[in-house]
Each structure stands twice: as C-alpha cells, then as structure tokens.
Amino acid sequence: MVVIRDFALQGMQMLIVLLLSPLLTGFVRKVKARLLRRQGPPLLQPYRDLIRLMRKDVVLAESASWLFRVIPYIIFAGTWVAAALVPTFGSGLLFSWSADLIAIIALLGSARFFQALAGLDVGTSFGGIGSSREVMIASLAEPAMLMIMFTLALIAGSTQLSTMATYMGSGVEGLRVSLGLALLALIIVALAENARIPVDNPATHLELTMVHEAMVLEYSGRHLALIDLSSELKLLLYVSVIGCLFMPWGISGAEANPPTIALGLAAYVGKLAVGGFLLALFETAIAKMRVFRVPAFLGAALMLGLLATLLLFVSRSL
Amino acid sequence: MRGITFDIAHMLAGSLVLVSFMQLYQDRLYALLNTFALHALVLAASVAWQAFVQGAPHLYLTALIALVFKAIIIPIALHRIIVRLGIHREIETVVGIGPTMLLGIGLVALAMVVMLRVTVEADPLAREDLAFALSVVLIGLLMMVTRRNAVSQVIGFMSLENGLVLAATGAKGMPLVVEISVAFSVLIAFIVIGIFLFRIRERFDTVDVQVIDRFRGEAR
Amino acid sequence: MVVFALYGVAVLLVLAPIAVALGASPHGTSIVYGTSLIVTLILCTIALVCLFEQPLNASITLPLGLPWLGAHFRIDALAAFFLTVVNLGGASASLFALGYGRHEHSPQRVLPFYPVYLAGMNLVILADDAFSFLVSWEFMSLTSWALVIAHHRVSENVRAGYVYLLMASFGTLMLLLAFGLLAGTDGNYAFEAIRLSHPSAVLTALVLVLTILGAGSKAGVVPLHAWLPLAHPAAPSHVSALMSGVMTKVAVYGTVRILFDLLGPPAWWWSMLVLAIGGITAVMGVLYALMQHDLKRLLAYHTVENIGIIYIGVGLALAFKAYGMPVAAALALTAGLFHVFNHSIFKSLLFFGAGAVLNATGERDMEHLGGLIHRMPQVAFVFLVGCVAISALPPLNGFASEWLTFQAILLSPQLPSWGLKFLVPAVGALLALSAALAAACFVKAFGVSFLGRPRTPAAAQAQETDSNSLAAMYILAALCLVAGILPGVFIDALAPVSKAMIGISMPHQSDLEWLTIVPIAESRSSYNGLLVFVFVTLSGSSAAFAIHRLASDKLRRGPAWDCGYPDPSPVTQYTASSFAQPIRRVYGTTIFRAREIGEIPPPGATAPARLTVQLHDLIWDTAYAPIGGFVAFTANKLNVLQFLTVRRYLTLVFTALVLLLLVLAIWS
C-alpha cells in the first residue's frame, strides 16, 4: 500500500511539473507585459503554442543528421527526469535516492551538451554563435552551481535534494552568511541557465543578442515544441530548487496524507507565483548585458559560491 | 550562543563583504557611487543593530553619521564633482575584473586565517565578524591599488574606513569622541582630495592617474 | 600466476624479431597484432584472477639483472588492477590495429616495437625491485620513442621525438635518484626491503618531490607536460591511444606505489603538493585543449586534464590517510583509481576514432573536416559515446568517477589542517571548472569534425573504417556504458587495492538494492546509474512514441533556414577556432596572452581579409625555453674545450689529479 502510494506520488510529481511549466512561462510573460502597460498574451498561450507546434510538419535542413532529430527527445528526457527528482510539494519522492543534486546538475549539463551539438549540426554560423556562447556561459555557470551544491551539502550533511529540503524545512539552521551567499549565487546561475535577461533575451531574434534561440534556430514542428517544453521545464526546475531549499514551508514530508499533500501543492503554486512575479519584475527592471560582461557576472556567482564554501570549511573548526 | 540577534549581526557583516565585492565588480562610475552608498547604508544598519544588541545608545549616533555623511552627502557630492569635472565615466582597471575578484577572495581567505589564528580564545561569532571587517579593509585597499581613476581610489579609501568602523563597533565599547574625530577627519580628507582633484583637473585636464604619471616621468 | 604473466611477456618480446623477419609482408601486420591481442587478453584474465582471488605465491625472483639482487616480480592487488588496465588497453589497441595497421606505410618501423612496448609496460607493473622497475621504465620509454618517430619524414615528428627523449631521460633520472634515496646506503633495492626501512622526514620529502617530478613527467602533470602534446599525436593512432590511455596510467601506478606503499605513513603536507598540482594540471590541460584545432593534439592535452583529476583523487586519499580517516581515504583512492580505468577506456576510444578519421580523410586538422556523421556514421556514433563519457555526463562512466571524487571532497571539512581547509574548496572549484570546460572542448571536437557540412573534398569523400577497428571501438563504448551503469561492481573490484594501500576498503556495493552505490552512508548520498539510464531512455522513447502517435510524425527536407540567408559555401560555418573564441577571450587573454589580429584591406582592394590568432605557451616560454637557451649558451662557452693545445689538455688532467689527491688528503 505504501509502495503504491509512493509510486502515485512520484507519478503525480512528474505529471505536475510537466503540466505546470508552460503555465509558469505564461504567467511570467503576462506579468512582464502588464508591467510594460501592455495586455500581453493570455495565460494559457504557451499550451496553445505547444499544441500548434506538435501538429505541424517538421522541416529538416538537408545537412541535418539523425542526431539532430534525436536530440530534442534526449533534451526533453534529461530535463524531465531531473525535474521529476526535485521536491515540489512533497519531499518523500520514491526515486530521490537514485540521483542527488550533483546528478541533477549533470543531467541538465548533458541536455545542454546535446543542445550545443544540435546548434553545430546543420552547419550554419548562427548555430555556431549560439553553441559557442552557450558553452562559454556553461563553463562558468556549472562550476558556480557545483560550488552552491557544496555549500548546501555541507550545511545539510547530504547531497540528496529531499534530505536537504527536509533539513532546511526543519528550521535547525538559522540565517547563515553562507546560505545568503549561496542564494544570491543560485539566483545568478538560474538566470544564466534559463537564458533570462540579463544574460540572454528569451524573446529576441537578433543574432547579436541571442544564445539559446540561435542554437534552436533550425528546429521546427514537434522538435521545437519539445525543446520549448524542455526550457519551460528547466525554468520550473530552478524555481522549484530555490523554493524547496530557501522557502521550504509547506512541503509535505515522509508522512504524506491527502491534507498535507494539498497543503504542499497550494504552497508550491504560491512559491511558483512569487518566483514568477519576481523574475518578471527583475527582467523588466534591468537591461541585457553585453556578451562579454556575462563571464564577469557568472564569475561573480562562482566567487560567491567559493566564498560560501570557504566560510563553511573554515567555520567548522569554531 | 546562537540566537536570531547574533545571526542578524553576522548576516549584516557578511553583507558588507558582499557589497565590497559588488564594488569590485562595477565598471561604471555612477554605479560605483550607488554601490558605495549601499555600502554605507549596510554599515549604518549594522552599527544600529549593534547599538540595539549591546545597549549602547551612542552607537546610534555613529550609525546616523554613517548614514547621513557617507550614504547621502558624500555620494551626492562626488556625483556633482564628476559631472563638473567631466571625468571619464568608465573605470579602467589594472587587471581584469575577474582576476580582481579572485584576488578579493584570496584576501578574504587571508583575513580569515589571520583573525582565526590570532584570536583563539574569543567568542566564535565575534572572531568571524572581525575577520569580515578585516576583509572589507583589505578589499578597500585592493580597490585603491587596482583602479586607475582617482575617484574610484577615493571610494576605495572610504570603504576601507567603513571596515574599520565595523571592526570597532563589533568590539564592544568605542567612545563617541573617537568616532566624531574619525568622521571629521574623513570629511576633511575628502575636502582636501576634492580640492586637489580640482587643481589637477585644471592643470592637466584629466584625473587619470596614468596620464599624470607620464608627466612625472614614471610612465607605465 | 606471476610465472604465467612472465611467459606472456616473453611471448611479446619474442614477437619483435619475428616482426623484423616478416617485415613488410602482408601477413606481418595480422600476425603481430593478432598475437599481441591474444597475449594481452590472457594477461588481462590473469590480472583479473589475481585481483579477485589473491593467490598466495604471487611473487618470483629470476636470476637476471644485478647479480646480488636478481629480478623480483610480484602481482599484488595494486599491480593486478593496473595490469588489467594496461592489458585491456593493449588488447583494444591490438584489435584496432588489425584493421588500422593495414594502412601503415612503413610497417617495419612500427611492428617490431609495438609488442615490446606492451611488454615493457607490463614489466614495469610486475617489477618488485627498483632495478627491474627502472630498466622496464626505460624500456617502455625507448620503445615508445621509436614508435613516435616511426613517421620520421615529417619534421615535427622528429622534433617531438627529441623533446620526448629529453623529458623521458629527465623522468628516469628523477626516479633513479628517488629509488637511490629509498634504497639507502645499503643499496637494497628490493621493494620488500624498502618497505621495511624507515627513512628520515627530510629524505621522504626529497623522495616525494623526485617521484612527482619523475613519474609526474611521464604522466604529464603541468609544468612537465610539454612533451605530451608533441609526442602523442606524432605516433600512429593505436600507439597514441596506448601512450595516452595506458602509459600515463603506468606513471600513475609508479606514483601510487611509491607514495602509498614504499614511503610509509604520509605526512600531511604531501597531499597539499599533490592536490595543488592536480588542480592546476586539470584546468590548464583543458584550457590548452580548447585552444587546439588538431584533433589528436586536443585529445593529448585533454589527457593532461584527466591526469590532474586522478592526482586530485590521489592527493585527497593521501590527506585522509595522513590524518587517520581511512573511510574517506578509501573513497578518495577508489575514486582516483576508478577514473584511471575510465580514462584509459574512453581516451583509447577517442584516439581510435581520431585514427579512423585520419585514415579515411588524411586530415588531423578539425578545420578541414566536417559532416563526417553522414559519411562515417558508426565511427561518429562511438566517438559521440566517447565524448559524452569524457565530459562526465550521466549515465556513463566519466560521471560515476567524478561523482565519487566530489563525494570525497565533501568529506574534507573534517581535515584539521588550515592549509588543506583553504586548498580543498579551491581544488573543488578547479575540478568543477575543468569538468564544465571539458564538455565545451568535446562539443567542439565532435561538432566541428563530425557535424555540419564538409569543409574539404577529403572530408566529403570519407569512407567508413573496417570492421576490426569498429569492433574495438564498439567494445570500448559498451564498456563505458557498463561502467557507468554498474559502478558498484567496479568499486568492489577496487576493494582489494584500497585494502592493501589504505587498510580498509569502501563498503560492499554489489548487494545494495537496484545496484545503487552508496559510498558512505545512505542518508548522505547515493547514486544509481542504471535507474537514471532507464528513466532517461523510458521518458525519451515514451515521449517519442506518444508524439508520433498523437501528434504528427511527418517530416520533409528543405534548405537550412539560417535566418533567411542560407549560404551554400561550407566555409561560412563555425570552425574550431571560432567556436573557441568566447572561451579564448574569457580565459585565454590572461593565461595564453591570446590576441586576435584582424587585417581588413580597405574597400576596393582585392587582397583577402586575414584573422590571426596569436597564442603564447607561457609555460614553455618561462620554463623550457630559458633552459634550452642556457644549455646552448653553456655549450657555446664550453666549445672552447675542443680546440685546446696538447699542453692545455695535459694541464687539465694534471689539475684534476691534484684536486682529487687533495680531497683524499683533507677528507677524513
């Protein structure tokens, strides 16, 4: 009975992240539009976009290979599995012990690896621009994320996300400088990884300003739908990670009965709304950086993560 | 004893180090001024919190001085000077911003090692706060050393002084007269520097230290 | 058991004159490589049996070499593991060469030395006394040097061989001094005797430095790495795979043997040296690799990075052992040795792929390749598996060993030393940075060579390689997947090694449910490669199935969109240098003093625009070039000695004699 319940919970988690991610993106776009005194697209527009794209034919470039066709599925699979292992409404995920935070970061890294390969596959210079800039950003964002992971793992005593979320939620730790630094670094890394302003403009189509959009320029139809869904999932994943680690209120623990699950779900939707609103506010208030200012920005995140880890190593002896 | 009060004090000291790093990161002069104002604001908040925790009302005056002078008056005055002198508004650094921040991290590590070695018997949180204060001082010095623009060197000097104030308030019992004299000396130093900047600008049409060095025959 | 191993080595040695006799005959290649394949497979089986069973009579003394010493040979747990690695690499290289070697222009320069090279590497690991160790080490170096200059008509190969010979001699000299200090004034070179001796702290410090210089130069640590990217690409591809994937591991064996076994209990500062060197090597290696556009040179520089990662694991193990934390030490050592195994597999795989490409197109330069995924689909597939494995992406094996290394780093706040408290997080950051940069490097390597459109006619007309080479590559790719999905099996296989070196081994992994690995405690961390692989495959295929059924599955081809400006010329694609440009700008301006000089002629002029990228190898300029300059200067000054009169020569002899007599008189 317990096993069935755990299976059901894990399945529910996988479905919920899949269903809520376009809603989050729609919400962010709506808030950005409203802040700019526009009406903005309806909240459910990303769903309509995905369905429309799925039904269309795929137009494949003549020089594209089999890898180009397989990559959207690989990216989607990697991102979905990673998102399914992040505690959203409940931390007692059945398979959380199979992949810890390092594995989740690495799964997102392999999605990015294949994304960069897709950019190079057709043999145009746009794809090359996107891939080369993406790997430059990744070469700093991933170490920063790993340093943040070190900080959190040293504080919580484990690299499993569920254990970390439970630990943070128990309120044993007060405010700590390392946690503050880690939060700041995590926000910077989340902005960079999700191709948000100030690192990349998700709404642009000018080659001088795009990174992510340049890599997926040649994709169409169901492939493009999968890639868009994967980026929406990634945004949801990062907001969920920030939520479960730094705002761990309401997450149902190991004893998951329907009232706690409902509370967890409500709390989760609230965290998504807050996160989406703040993201939209931030993106509207700040301008996009020049490409070669981004390494300094991400280098700052790496330094903050390193400083946070250093402080933890040093203060252990006190 | 760990309580929420000590956590907040610790957090404010850590935020001061963070804002020092933000100062290192800036490459535009107005943004640097705003960051310095934030630096002074965080210092004022930290000193005010110490006044509340230690029950030392004269520290409130220190916080007020830091707030009024360093967070409001000095940034506005420097802003006016920059506009009047038409100073070049990009900050040229000696090494890139990345290596400068790396040096900053090294300095924080150094400050921690020194402080934790020297003050073995003290309370753990006080030791970390002292280490943070020393880091702010060292990062202020680093800013003075790695910037070519005279205004940014002045700001480095003032954030160094902020670090000293943080250290002094962290250790309980700093008499008010010392703080007033320190504040006035800073004000006077600032006025003198301002006058010199005017003179230099009149003479050489620039305040870029590199250009001035060339006149002194010590070209890079 | 050792006797059988020695018989195998003897067969390999006997193959050399047979190869000379067969010379350029068409069957010579098949006979030599086929026999090597069989012998290395047998040796590998022997090594695996020794690793798992640990037979008692695992040592032997032969009446060769020094008369009062003899030649000791032994297989203990550490030797058994490294023998497995060496012979697995040797077997795959021999299988690959069965196909690749047929394209060799001058087989008589390669065939005699190849089995002897394999024999030399095996002998180094089997050796149980310093003399046999050093003789086998030199043997290994000399045969590989002969293989490096096999294509001697290319001038850069000759220069590569020269630099390699110099560095190899330097390395052997350092090891000679190290063993001399270890053996002490009695001159007892057997390893058993060295284990029992207790040298002073100063002596052990000297031996440590000499070992790092000697074995490290063969492994390729920075700054002793300069020969590696010259020599490894110059050799034929299967030999490059052996040099990068296997010989560097023999050097790691030397380091581990001396540091963990022969030197006795470690001091805490040893680990600082090894960790610092490991971290710097990892980052510098991958940054160098990113700047290359020669495929084999890129792979050779990348070996430097992986050696850095292995040294980080070894350094952590030393630190934990010095402070009496055996559980953590076992984890760190297992992580490092697991990476030894993984690297030998995927680096060999990648070099084989590069060799196949070289054979098919005649090009090593990535900027002359492109679009090979259409012409050589199988090679592209296995090369992709190798790239994914080396970039430490789940669920393959590179990620498993890197995950274990990170877990070891997370245990290090318990170390009491201040220096280590600051060094280990910095090394952790360097490790994370090198992992991310490695992924960038291999996106470039695979993307520019195999994807896109062909940039030269040679690339447009490439053909798929033969089945032997493909078989070798497929086997290695399958091993990458197996090691990534079942890391528990490999951790348990390494348990006897860590038990011998540290005292305890990691907890037994194989009987955990679902084949998870739990390095320390379940509450702390766990990883299940099999489940991750199953989940990813299931979700990907179910998504594909659902979409193809419920939405559309239609597809048509058209010209590339390219924002509405499709360019038919493949020259407009990104090249290797352009792909690396953002990273070059971020990291290379300080580390390599990278400068881009663009010459754009004025409008109307017919001259082409030119972009030149200038890179300075600062390590070569500051460390190697001054030494070369100094040697040349001294040689010039000393040249005077060639032209003295007879009287002057007699004066020299007389002065030397008088000095020696004086020394004898004064020294009591």
Side-chain angles (χ1 to χ4, degrees):
Chain A
M1 188 58 221
V2 177
V3 178
I4 297 183
R5 184 198 71 185
D6 285 342
F7 257 111
L9 272 180
Q10 177 77 65
M12 207 165 96
Q13 154 102 355
M14 292 175 76
L15 267 180
I16 285 183
V17 297
L18 203 54
L19 292 174
L20 277 182
S21 44
L23 185 61
L24 178 65
T25 307
F27 179 65
V28 172
R29 284 191 199 150
K30 187 78 167 173
V31 173
K32 269 167 84 166
R34 281 305 170 108
L35 284 171
L36 295 172
R37 301 188 63 184
R38 289 190 284 123
Q39 270 287 78
L43 264 182
L44 301 181
Q45 185 61 29
Y47 293 101
R48 297 199 190 105
D49 286 335
L50 285 173
I51 296 175
R52 169 179 58 94
L53 280 172
M54 293 268 189
R55 293 215 199 109
K56 289 187 152 204
D57 293 358
V58 164
V59 179
L60 211 55
E62 280 144 357
S63 48
S65 62
W66 61 266
L67 193 60
F68 194 74
R69 295 165 62 176
V70 169
I71 280 177
Y73 298 101
I74 300 179
I75 296 176
F76 174 69
T79 319
W80 194 24
V81 170
L85 293 169
V86 174
T88 52
F89 58 87
S91 64
L93 294 170
L94 182 62
F95 290 111
S96 62
W97 47 265
S98 64
D100 59 351
L101 188 51
I102 307 180
I104 291 178
I105 297 172
L107 272 172
L108 292 175
S110 45
R112 187 176 41 228
F113 180 87
F114 283 102
Q115 177 86 285
L117 281 182
L120 286 174
D121 188 60
V122 181
T124 63
S125 33
F126 282 100
I129 289 184
S131 300
S132 62
R133 288 179 181 176
E134 175 73 15
V135 298
M136 172 193 74
I137 293 176
S139 74
L140 285 165
E142 199 171 298
M145 191 69 201
L146 279 168
M147 296 313 290
I148 297 168
M149 183 277 305
F150 275 174
T151 312
L152 294 167
L154 285 173
I155 291 181
S158 162
T159 51
Q160 294 289 357
L161 255 185
S162 309
T163 323
M164 278 191 215
T166 321
Y167 184 82
M168 293 292 178
S170 67
V172 168
E173 283 303 312
L175 296 172
R176 283 187 75 154
V177 179
S178 298
L179 277 179
L181 293 175
L183 174 62
L184 202 55
L186 185 55
I187 291 176
I188 295 178
V189 170
L191 287 172
E193 291 258 2
N194 288 300
R196 293 275 144 190
I197 294 179
V199 175
D200 182 15
N201 192 341
T204 183
H205 290 284
L206 296 171
E207 67 271 15
L208 287 179
T209 57
M210 56 182 172
V211 176
H212 180 82
E213 298 295 318
M215 285 189 291
V216 302
L217 196 63
E218 300 290 334
Y219 275 116
S220 54
R222 56 185 182 272
H223 297 159
L224 186 58
L226 271 178
I227 292 188
D228 281 345
L229 185 56
S230 308
S231 357
E232 289 159 7
L233 263 177
K234 203 166 163 183
L235 180 62
L236 186 86
L237 188 154
Y238 272 96
V239 176
S240 311
V241 167
I242 296 179
C244 83
L245 288 174
F246 293 100
M247 302 188 282
W249 312 297
I251 294 186
S252 74
E255 28 41 61
N257 38 8
T260 52
I261 295 180
L263 177 66
L265 269 174
Y268 179 59
V269 171
K271 287 177 209 169
L272 285 183
V274 167
F277 182 77
L278 288 175
L279 174 65
L281 197 61
F282 185 70
E283 282 201 288
T284 319
I286 204 168
K288 183 182 169 314
M289 286 179 180
R290 282 170 36 215
V291 170
F292 286 110
R293 195 74 178 114
V294 174
F297 186 56
L298 283 172
L302 178 57
M303 298 299 158
L304 286 175
L306 182 58
L307 192 57
T309 314
L310 206 64
L311 284 176
L312 278 179
F313 264 76
V314 165
S315 67
R316 280 286 160 115
S317 65
L318 298 179
Chain B
M1 240 280 276
R2 265 233 187 182
I4 199 77
T5 51
F6 286 95
D7 274 349
I8 292 185
H10 207 46
M11 197 58 120
L12 286 169
S15 315
L16 202 62
V17 177
L18 186 64
V19 179
S20 299
F21 270 103
M22 280 171 67
Q23 280 182 334
L24 278 182
Y25 171 76
Q26 301 303 330
D27 65 347
R28 296 192 331 258
L29 209 47
Y30 285 152
L32 182 63
L33 283 183
N34 294 339
T35 323
F36 174 66
L38 182 64
H39 202 255
L41 198 67
V42 172
L43 177 72
S46 174
V47 173
W49 183 257
Q50 286 292 342
F52 171 65
V53 163
Q54 294 173 22
H58 59 88
L59 285 181
Y60 282 120
L61 196 52
T62 309
L64 194 63
I65 291 177
L67 185 67
V68 169
F69 274 117
K70 294 207 199 138
I72 301 179
I73 294 187
I74 289 184
I76 292 183
L78 275 176
H79 203 278
R80 292 253 182 86
I81 289 183
I82 291 172
V83 168
R84 199 107 69 85
L85 295 187
I87 291 177
H88 190 48
R89 280 186 241 136
E90 277 220 3
I91 300 181
E92 295 94 18
T93 57
V94 173
V95 253
I97 287 192
T100 318
M101 293 189 69
L102 208 55
L103 280 171
I105 294 259
L107 286 174
V108 172
L110 180 65
M112 303 221 79
V113 173
V114 167
M115 268 308 162
L116 294 172
R117 274 269 174 90
V118 164
T119 62
V120 190
E121 318 84 27
D123 163 48
L125 274 173
R127 287 162 78 191
E128 277 195 16
D129 287 342
L130 268 179
F132 285 150
L134 184 58
S135 323
V136 174
V137 169
L138 286 175
I139 293 180
L141 262 176
L142 180 70
M143 242 183 83
M144 288 178 72
V145 165
T146 57
R147 296 284 184 270
R148 294 200 213 279
N149 189 310
V151 174
S152 37
Q153 289 173 346
V154 166
I155 292 191
F157 170 69
M158 290 205 266
S159 54
L160 186 156
E161 210 258 334
N162 282 356
L164 287 173
V165 172
L166 181 70
T169 55
K172 300 175 186 146
M174 185 170 95
L176 186 58
V177 65
V178 175
E179 168 54 12
I180 291 184
S181 59
V182 167
F184 266 108
S185 69
V186 167
L187 197 54
I188 295 198
F190 169 70
I191 294 174
V192 169
I193 290 174
I195 293 177
F196 265 112
L197 282 177
F198 267 104
R199 283 306 198 87
I200 294 173
R201 170 79 164 109
E202 274 173 23
R203 188 73 201 285
F204 298 112
D205 286 330
T206 173
V207 282
D208 187 345
V209 177
Q210 238 191 340
V211 176
I212 297 175
D213 271 345
R214 247 181 264 139
F215 277 106
R216 290 182 57 202
E218 285 172 9
R220 289 292 203 91
Chain C
M1 275 296 157
V2 186
V3 184
F4 295 129
L6 286 174
Y7 279 138
V9 169
V11 170
L12 284 174
L13 286 171
V14 157
L15 266 182
I18 296 182
V20 171
L22 287 174
S25 87
H27 301 294
T29 317
S30 320
I31 293 180
V32 171
Y33 288 127
T35 324
S36 313
L37 173 64
I38 296 173
V39 173
T40 44
L41 278 176
I42 295 177
L43 283 170
C44 189
T45 331
I46 294 176
L48 278 172
V49 166
C50 284
L51 186 60
F52 286 116
E53 302 291 318
Q54 303 256 276
L56 289 169
N57 57 339
S59 84
I60 189 175
T61 308
L62 291 180
L64 303 169
L66 294 176
W68 62 91
L69 183 61
H72 299 247
F73 296 105
R74 195 163 89 108
I75 303 186
D76 63 347
L78 185 68
F81 170 69
F82 275 94
L83 272 180
T84 322
V85 169
V86 166
N87 287 305
L88 194 60
S92 55
S94 309
L95 179 59
F96 179 76
L98 273 177
Y100 177 82
R102 298 218 182 92
H103 302 265
E104 182 63 59
H105 293 298
S106 43
Q108 66 274 18
R109 288 182 72 100
V110 175
L111 286 178
F113 297 107
Y114 178 81
V116 182
Y117 180 42
L118 288 175
M121 289 195 281
N122 276 300
L123 278 176
V124 171
I125 302 180
L126 285 170
D128 196 38
D129 70 88
F131 187 71
S132 340
F133 186 93
L134 284 171
V135 167
S136 321
W137 186 275
E138 261 307 86
F139 207 43
M140 178 177 79
S141 310
L142 281 176
T143 45
S144 49
W145 171 77
L147 287 166
V148 163
I149 58 169
H151 301 150
H152 62 126
R153 299 206 190 282
V154 182
S155 62
E156 58 180 34
N157 288 357
V158 176
R159 177 168 177 259
Y162 180 62
V163 174
Y164 179 37
L165 203 57
L166 280 176
M167 293 302 295
S169 315
F170 168 77
T172 314
L173 179 63
M174 294 293 118
L175 279 179
L176 185 69
L177 289 173
F179 278 118
L181 284 174
L182 275 177
T185 43
D186 330 326
N188 204 337
Y189 290 111
F191 281 176
E192 286 147 8
I194 295 181
R195 261 179 222 124
L196 294 172
S197 74
H198 296 288
S200 66
V202 174
L203 216 59
T204 44
L206 265 177
V207 172
L208 171 79
V209 171
L210 286 171
T211 311
I212 291 182
L213 285 176
S217 77
K218 185 66 100 201
V221 300
V222 166
L224 303 164
H225 66 284
W227 62 274
L228 208 147
L230 292 171
H232 286 196
S237 304
H238 55 296
V239 177
S240 305
L242 278 182
M243 289 175 77
S244 255
V246 176
M247 191 166 72
T248 47
K249 308 303 172 298
V250 175
V252 171
Y253 163 78
T255 316
V256 172
R257 173 67 79 189
I258 295 183
L259 290 183
F260 278 87
D261 199 14
L262 298 178
L263 268 183
W268 66 271
W269 60 268
W270 297 6
S271 53
M272 284 191 63
L273 192 57
V274 178
L275 270 173
I277 286 181
I280 295 177
T281 307
V283 174
M284 287 304 293
V286 73
L287 282 175
Y288 273 118
L290 271 163
M291 304 291 129
Q292 303 302 318
H293 52 86
D294 178 329
L295 190 55
K296 283 172 83 167
R297 188 158 294 160
L298 183 149
L299 291 174
Y301 270 119
H302 209 268
T303 307
V304 173
E305 184 228 350
N306 280 290
I307 293 291
I309 297 179
I310 295 172
Y311 266 65
I312 290 177
V314 168
L316 277 174
L318 269 178
F320 289 128
K321 190 178 174 192
Y323 282 110
M325 296 197 274
V327 177
L331 173 61
L333 188 63
T334 312
L337 291 180
F338 191 29
H339 200 77
V340 163
F341 178 76
N342 289 337
H343 180 243
S344 74
I345 293 184
F346 45 64
K347 195 38 76 73
S348 306
L349 173 60
L350 289 169
F351 264 108
F352 293 162
V357 166
L358 181 58
N359 251 348
T361 60
E363 291 284 354
R364 257 164 54 182
D365 193 340
M366 284 190 276
E367 320 217 321
H368 297 163
L369 297 173
L372 290 175
I373 193 171
H374 302 282
R375 306 289 311 180
M376 308 168 70
Q378 302 202 58
V379 173
F381 177 70
V382 281
F383 198 85
L384 179 63
V385 172
C387 289
V388 172
I390 204 170
S391 310
L393 302 175
L396 295 182
N397 53 355
F399 176 70
S401 52
E402 189 151 310
W403 187 82
L404 284 173
T405 317
F406 278 134
Q407 295 294 337
I409 292 182
L410 281 171
L411 283 177
S412 39
Q414 304 160 19
L415 291 167
S417 146
W418 278 107
L420 282 171
K421 271 191 199 301
F422 284 103
L423 188 58
V424 176
V427 165
L430 287 176
L431 182 61
L433 188 62
S434 73
L437 285 170
C441 185
F442 279 93
V443 168
K444 172 176 122 165
F446 186 75
V448 174
S449 320
F450 285 89
L451 300 178
R453 296 175 278 164
R455 293 178 180 86
T456 54
Q461 291 150 11
Q463 299 290 332
E464 187 71 83
T465 47
D466 59 277
S467 48
N468 283 317
S469 320
L470 278 176
M473 291 197 269
Y474 269 113
I475 291 176
L476 287 178
L479 262 179
C480 283
L481 184 62
V482 166
I485 294 182
L486 305 173
V489 173
F490 291 85
I491 294 178
D492 286 340
L494 283 169
V497 183
S498 82
K499 202 173 273 200
M501 295 290 119
I502 310 271
I504 69 166
S505 62
M506 279 176 66
H508 197 66
Q509 306 288 333
S510 298
D511 40 39
L512 288 170
E513 54 173 19
W514 295 91
L515 301 168
T516 320
I517 52 172
V518 174
I520 306 139
E522 228 178 87
S523 60
R524 244 194 107 90
S525 54
S526 58
Y527 168 66
N528 192 320
L530 179 65
L531 273 182
V532 168
F533 177 63
V534 165
F535 284 157
V536 170
T537 326
L538 268 181
S539 21
S541 25
S542 51
F545 182 71
I547 292 177
H548 281 242
R549 268 312 199 67
L550 303 171
S552 103
D553 62 348
K554 291 199 276 290
L555 185 147
R556 59 189 158 94
R557 293 267 176 177
W561 161 236
D562 214 3
C563 256
Y565 300 97
D567 197 316
S569 163
V571 173
T572 57
Q573 327 174 63
Y574 255 48
T575 60
S577 318
S578 38
F579 187 84
Q581 188 258 359
I583 293 189
R584 191 167 58 228
R585 233 180 105 155
V586 171
Y587 301 96
T589 11
T590 34
I591 298 183
F592 299 115
R593 280 201 273 137
R595 301 280 177 267
E596 285 169 9
I597 304 167
E599 301 152 17
I600 301 184
T606 49
R610 222 169 270 282
L611 180 70
T612 320
V613 174
Q614 265 182 0
L615 291 170
H616 302 261
D617 186 347
L618 288 179
I619 296 182
W620 185 273
D621 292 341
T622 46
Y624 291 82
I627 296 181
F630 175 70
V631 168
F633 173 77
T634 325
N636 268 332
K637 290 292 171 190
L638 290 176
N639 202 21
V640 179
L641 285 176
Q642 307 268 18
F643 305 109
L644 298 177
T645 61
V646 177
R647 189 188 63 83
R648 289 247 169 89
Y649 285 127
L650 285 175
T651 321
L652 275 178
V653 173
F654 178 65
T655 323
L657 185 61
V658 167
L659 270 173
L660 285 172
L661 288 173
L662 264 175
V663 165
L664 207 56
I666 295 176
W667 195 24
S668 49

